[in-house]
Amino acid sequence: MRKILAALLLVCMICGAAVADDEIIKVGIFNCLTGQNAFGGQLELEGTQLAHSLFPEIAGKKVELVIVDNKSDKVEAANAVTRLIENDKVNAIIGTYGSSLAMAGGEVAEKAGIPVIGTSCTNPLVTQGKKFYFRVCFIDPFQGAGAATYAFKNLGAKRAATLIDISNDYSVGLGKFFRDSFKKMGGEIVANLNYQTGDTDFTAQLTSLIAANPEVVFLPAYFAEGAIVLKQAKELGATFRFIGADAMDNPEIVTLGGDAVEGFLHTTFAYDPSMPEMNPVAKAFTEEWNKIHPDKAPNVNCALGYDCYIMLKDAIERAGSTDPAKIRDALETVKDLPTVTGMTTINATHDAEKDMGIVEIRDGKKTFIGIVKPEV
């Protein structure tokens, strides 16, 4: 009798645990919390955590965030996704900052059939041919064309150059899309210079750029290296205008670059705390962020991390299920979803269609100039 009762108790405990687990939605986060891209990855995580604090339950079920550091490394990114799927049994995943990291982790998620929503991984290859990878950000052909359009149409530049991190997929792709669009509009590319991740002396490249005499230089760098380039360009007396991309959208660029970043322009998503008008979701996000982080202004990385959670919440609620395949199906039909970075629609290639903004550093502060319509 004791053995029978013990067996029944064990069965009840197992069933109870199964019921408890079934009432929890596990959302994996794989992002770069250490390494080269840690600052951006941490901001995205904090944005997701803010959304989770406001919406701790989805469809009546408690949401648990399972956070893994991909260490800004491709191998670690694949390992992080493997751990989330095999060990933590997550229903869906959010991440990551860095297209090369997203591609590495995406292969694992694709084979396992677990849906992923990318934060700021803008390279087209991230979602290409993928059934389970989506993203809340626009892609680099759109962004590169946006930078070229602003340079040619708004700045009136006819001569441009690019300075590219040849070891980074994000930078290489953006540089190509900028050059293609600029030439298509009738502009001339007078130089295409390269460097590698980790370089700190850009004197040779900048000297060549000065000799080529462009009116604009497109610099799709990460903010830390970008700030160094801008400082050295100022020291060398360069007079051309720099335009960067979304990876330069970081509050620390002014701290690192000082007065050398004054007048610097970059493409970004349609959100910045300096925006004169905000949509209701952006306004609520900004207010909540400032309550939790009164000494740290939000930026688009925080906003994109927040938006990923909102997009996942919408998909689960519409799917009426936490089954990964059904979440995936619902993500495919996201349309005109109000998010911090504007109305978000997922297209046939699983990329987000949304507005693009332009930011300029003015008087030591980021200033949102407005929306640019890329000529793709």
Side-chain angles (χ1 to χ4, degrees), residues 61-81:
K61 296 185 178 183
K62 181 182 176 182
V63 178
E64 177 186 338
L65 298 184
V66 185
I67 301 165
V68 180
D69 180 12
N70 66 38
K71 302 178 183 179
S72 304
D73 179 84
K74 295 178 185 179
V75 174
E76 288 295 335
N79 291 340
V81 174

Side-chain angles (χ1 to χ4, degrees), residues 263-324:
F264 173 69
L265 296 152
H266 66 78
T267 54
T268 187
F269 296 84
Y271 170 78
D272 190 84
S274 68
M275 292 176 75
E277 296 181 6
M278 289 186 186
N279 68 60
V281 180
K283 187 175 181 180
F285 162 78
T286 305
E287 290 172 354
E288 292 296 332
W289 177 274
N290 289 335
K291 288 178 187 176
I292 300 173
H293 305 283
D295 301 322
K296 181 166 66 174
N299 80 329
V300 293
N301 295 116
C302 319
L304 291 169
Y306 185 99
D307 285 351
C308 281
Y309 189 93
I310 296 302
M311 194 163 115
L312 180 59
K313 175 178 178 289
D314 169 75
I316 292 173
E317 289 174 343
R318 287 188 298 105
S321 172
T322 58
D323 177 73

Side-chain angles (χ1 to χ4, degrees), residues 78-110:
N79 291 340
V81 174
T82 299
R83 173 184 160 184
L84 288 171
I85 294 170
E86 295 183 357
N87 295 357
D88 300 301
K89 311 297 183 185
V90 297
N91 302 91
I93 298 173
I94 291 174
T96 174
Y97 185 99
S99 293
S100 59
L101 306 175
M103 284 185 256
E107 293 296 332
V108 178
E110 188 73 12

